[in-house]
């Protein structure tokens, strides 16, 4: 699953076995999950 660092805007792959989550490029700890740009339509009942 891909994440993006909020400071340096680099794509980051997270290793879930490691206890801490940090950007390997700048050391920042706030990462945002990348979402697809398509809009999902759901029919209401």
């Amino acid at each position: 699953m891909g994440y993006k660092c909020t400071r340096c805007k680099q794509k980051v792959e997270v290793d879930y076995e490691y206890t801490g989550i940090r950007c390997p490029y700048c050391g920042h700890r706030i990462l945002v999950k990348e979402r697809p740009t398509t809009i999902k339509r759901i029919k209401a009942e």
Side-chain angles (χ1 to χ4, degrees):
M1 185 172 300
Y3 289 87
K4 190 176 209 178
C5 176
T6 57
R7 181 184 287 168
C8 68
K9 310 293 190 239
Q10 293 288 328
K11 289 185 180 182
V12 177
E13 289 295 324
V14 175
D15 182 13
Y16 291 103
E17 293 179 7
Y18 182 65
T19 57
I21 297 176
R22 285 186 179 263
C23 174
Y25 305 104
C26 69
H28 199 58
R29 292 179 16 188
I30 301 174
L31 303 176
V32 178
K33 184 186 285 187
E34 291 192 320
R35 304 278 185 192
T37 57
T38 59
I39 298 173
K40 185 188 264 187
R41 301 269 182 195
I42 300 173
K43 185 176 180 181
E45 295 183 76

